[in-house]
Amino acid sequence: MKLRMKLSAAIGAPSLFPCCSFTHLPASPSTLYASIPFSGRNKLFLRAVNLDCESVEQMNLKKEIPELNKNLYPSIEPYCTGFLKVSNLHTLYWEQSGNPNGHPVVFLHGGPGAGTSPNNRRFFDPVFYRIILFDQRGAGKSKPHACLEENTTWDLIGDIEKLREHLKIPEWQVFGGSWGSTLALAYSISHPDKVTGIILRGIFLLRKKEIDWFYEGGAAVIYPDVWEPFRDLIPEEERSCFVEAYHKRLNSDNLETQYAAARAWTKWEMMTAHLLPNEENIKRGDDDHFSLAFARIENHYFINRGFFSSDSFLLENVEKIKHIKAIIVQGRYDVCCPMMSAWDLHKAWPEAEFLVVPGAGHSANEAGIAAELVAANEKLKKHP
């Protein structure tokens, strides 16, 4: 009781519990401590009172700003699937899941050539979002498989528009990671009036220095043991450019030569895509059907520099989308698409929210990245 009386006298407040009248306290708690001669257990009591009041304030703040969900949503099945003929040669697989009357979001897969998977649906709230997935030309269930003809960035941008019109969607949110981030930026720059929001992950701007880093020996300094099988498939006299050497083999007349090159190319990427090795991901490199599309189409885009008119095309045109609400998620230790690209995009587009996941590599399936992607979609629910 003596302590409480001293405390009331010191702060000039009639209440014995200063939580209700902290406006009377000095600006700094250290000032209060200095003005009252407490010692021993009395010090602990005052400290406990102070901490109690902070926790109440924090609780009130949490009530005002509820925490965003960061957990993947449960697995769901599509309510609608189909095939869309986009040219005399190409037919795309597409699907819709979630809420048929929800806010539309289109998922742009990586690679190029990787195709979609059921897990991609789980980044989105199925009650709020109308979730559209499709396999890009030559990938996944789209036909013809692993086809490089009529397969450019501009063809894919046209396909996205054809799919939007086919589904009678006026505008939609765009979500893409890795190559999907490249395509998301290119599409949004081409059709900014059709985009309500953008979420990007593992930024890839398809510049020469990014391709050289991963395919010409840069990343080998971190993964020398994984690099050597990729390197050793190519004779020494052809190692001045691995992208060209692999291009020759991935387009060989001999199917077994194509498969061997595709397995080596795919395993190199799958073994470096996670901060810690992911066996399930690595096994995808043993699947010749998947590997052929993945490696052939990636190599085709990379040797053609994404079919862009300049090396920094996306950065040069980011001004066209600065008005669109956007969130960038980047793994700090991404070896496939190093953070330098995300940082360059962030500097060119400071209006976009920029999030770095400290304990993550490249894959969207890493826990920290997946959590931020789910949270990003939750944020954009408020800006549909």
Side-chain angles (χ1 to χ4, degrees), residues 37 78 108 113 117-118 131 155 163 189 198 200 226 229 243 257 264-265 305 371 378:
L108 304 181
S117 67
I131 307 159
D155 289 319
L163 180 60
I189 287 167
I198 305 171
L200 306 172
V226 181
V243 173
T257 300
W265 179 284
R305 299 289 188 265
E378 296 296 295

Side-chain angles (χ1 to χ4, degrees), residues 75-351:
S75 297
I76 55 173
E77 293 299 317
Y79 64 79
C80 183
T81 65
F83 287 88
L84 178 64
K85 192 168 181 61
V86 291
S87 77
N88 291 332
L89 179 60
H90 288 277
T91 301
L92 306 185
Y93 166 80
W94 59 267
E95 65 172 52
Q96 297 189 87
S97 57
N99 183 353
N101 299 311
H103 184 70
V105 57
V106 62
F107 178 95
L108 304 181
H109 68 68
T116 57
S117 67
N119 202 52
N120 301 149
R121 307 168 194 142
R122 300 184 62 196
F123 295 112
F124 311 96
D125 178 354
V127 174
F128 181 85
Y129 283 109
R130 176 183 175 186
I131 307 159
I132 297 102
L133 273 59
F134 76 98
D135 292 332
Q136 297 159 28
R137 295 191 180 201
K141 298 176 185 177
S142 293
K143 302 170 183 178
H145 181 70
C147 178
L148 305 183
E149 293 179 59
E150 299 176 17
N151 200 337
T152 72
T153 304
W154 309 110
D155 289 319
L156 300 187
I157 289 172
D159 293 347
I160 297 170
E161 273 297 274
K162 288 173 184 174
L163 180 60
R164 184 187 62 78
E165 291 168 357
H166 176 72
L167 298 176
K168 296 179 173 56
I169 295 172
E171 55 185 11
W172 51 10
Q173 184 174 313
V174 178
F175 180 109
S178 194
W179 156 256
S181 75
T182 319
L183 184 57
L185 287 166
Y187 170 77
S188 300
I189 287 167
S190 300
H191 300 282
D193 57 321
K194 307 304 181 188
V195 180
T196 61
I198 305 171
I199 295 177
L200 306 172
R201 184 268 311 168
I203 302 304
F204 181 43
L205 302 175
L206 228 160
R207 295 173 294 180
K208 184 179 184 300
K209 65 180 180 180
E210 297 169 51
I211 296 168
D212 288 350
W213 158 261
F214 194 64
Y215 293 103
E216 302 297 341
V221 301
I222 299 173
Y223 285 96
D225 52 332
V226 181
W227 169 258
E228 287 189 4
F230 176 84
R231 178 199 67 190
D232 292 348
L233 185 79
I234 306 301
E236 287 190 25
E237 61 270 20
E238 294 185 60
R239 292 180 186 172
S240 60
C241 181
F242 284 95
V243 173
E244 288 182 6
Y246 269 91
H247 182 76
K248 174 182 173 182
R249 287 157 180 79
L250 289 166
N251 293 279
S252 167
D253 293 333
N254 186 303
L255 189 58
E256 286 307 315
T257 300
Q258 289 187 33
Y259 281 147
R263 284 193 294 268
W265 179 284
T266 304
K267 284 184 179 180
W268 163 240
E269 184 159 337
M270 297 303 161
M271 293 178 79
T272 54
H274 289 73
L275 183 61
L276 300 175
N278 182 291
E279 291 303 321
E280 184 179 348
N281 201 50
I282 292 169
K283 285 178 182 176
R284 301 183 81 188
D286 295 323
D287 181 341
D288 286 341
H289 184 80
F290 170 80
S291 291
L292 188 62
F294 183 77
R296 286 193 84 215
I297 298 173
E298 268 201 349
N299 178 275
H300 167 70
Y301 273 76
F302 298 167
I303 205 164
N304 287 288
R305 299 289 188 265
F307 303 92
F308 292 133
S309 57
S310 67
D311 193 52
S312 295
F313 174 83
L314 296 175
L315 291 179
E316 291 164 3
N317 287 277
V318 77
E319 191 72 32
K320 296 175 182 177
I321 56 174
K322 282 190 172 183
H323 64 286
I324 300 173
K325 174 71 176 176
I327 301 172
I328 301 166
V329 177
Q330 177 71 32
R332 168 71 70 180
Y333 302 109
D334 189 334
V335 172
C336 300
C337 298
M339 191 174 139
M340 64 174 181
S341 298
W343 187 248
D344 289 345
L345 180 61
H346 167 59
K347 289 192 293 184
W349 192 7
E351 295 85 355

